[in-house]
Amino acid sequence: MRKLILLLILLAAFSGAFAQKTLVLEKIGTSTRYAFYLGDDVKIRTKKQNVIVKSYLWNLTDSSVTIGPRTTIPLYDISAVYKHYYFQNLMTRVLFYAGAGYFILDSFNNLINKEQVFVPQTMIISGSLLGVSMAIIPLGQKKCRIGIRWKLKIMDINLE
C-alpha cells in the first residue's frame, strides 16, 4: 500500500514536469479564448514604451513572455494582443492576385489582338477586385486590449 501511494505521488509530481506552457488570451464572462503556443506568430503592444513587437513566441515563463530570441516582456507590461485571422488574410491575397492577374491577362490579350489595350470593363472588374482586397485588410486582425474585458494568462496545460 505504501509503495502504491509513493508511486502515485511520484507520478503526479513528474506528470507536470513535461507540460507545455501556453499563453492564453481569454474574454471575461464568455467562453472565448485564444491559445498561443511556442513557435506561434504573435503581435503584442507594450504599455511602458508603447511599441509593437511582432515575431514568434520563443519562451514562456510564469511572469514573462519572450518574443523572438531577445525581447522579453513581463505580463504586466502587455497592453494589447493582436489576434490574426488566417481566412481573411488569405482572401486578401487571393483577391489582390485575381484583380492584378485579370488586368494583366486581359490587357496582354488586347495587345496581342491589336485592340484597345485598356478597356473600361477590365478597369471596373480588376479595380473592384483590388478594392475589395484592400477593404478587407483591417479584418485580418483583431486588437484585444488587456484590461477589464480581456485577460492574459500563462498556463501549464495544453489547450486544444
Side-chain angles (χ1 to χ4, degrees), residues 3-145:
K3 290 181 181 179
L4 180 63
I5 292 173
L6 182 62
L7 182 64
L8 288 174
I9 290 172
L10 287 175
L11 183 64
F14 288 121
S15 67
F18 300 111
Q20 177 182 359
K21 292 195 181 267
T22 306
L23 181 67
V24 178
L25 177 68
E26 65 180 350
K27 191 172 189 176
I28 301 301
T30 65
S31 62
T32 304
R33 81 179 117 193
Y34 304 111
F36 299 97
Y37 302 104
L38 296 179
D40 287 349
D41 287 331
V42 293
K43 184 176 176 182
I44 292 177
R45 179 181 290 273
T46 61
K47 286 181 186 175
K48 288 183 182 176
Q49 297 176 349
N50 197 19
V51 296
I52 294 177
V53 180
K54 182 179 179 183
S55 186
Y56 54 93
L57 199 56
W58 181 269
N59 190 17
L60 293 171
T61 62
D62 291 336
S63 62
S64 66
V65 175
T66 304
I67 309 281
R70 296 187 180 134
T71 308
T72 301
I73 303 169
L75 276 182
Y76 63 85
D77 192 29
I78 297 174
S79 68
V81 176
Y82 293 87
K83 172 68 179 144
H84 295 281
Y85 295 108
Y86 176 75
F87 181 73
Q88 285 85 351
N89 292 333
L90 178 68
M91 286 308 297
T92 299
R93 286 190 209 107
V94 166
L95 289 173
F96 180 79
Y97 291 142
Y102 182 79
F103 177 75
I104 291 169
L105 288 176
D106 194 48
S107 298
F108 189 68
N109 184 31
N110 290 339
L111 186 65
I112 290 174
N113 294 329
K114 296 180 182 171
E115 298 172 356
Q116 182 182 357
V117 178
F118 301 112
V119 294
Q121 294 85 4
T122 302
M123 296 296 185
I124 291 171
I125 294 171
S126 64
S128 64
L129 287 172
L130 291 173
V132 169
S133 74
M134 296 299 165
I136 64 173
I137 286 175
L139 300 177
Q141 69 181 1
K142 177 182 180 181
K143 182 178 182 180
C144 303
R145 290 189 179 113

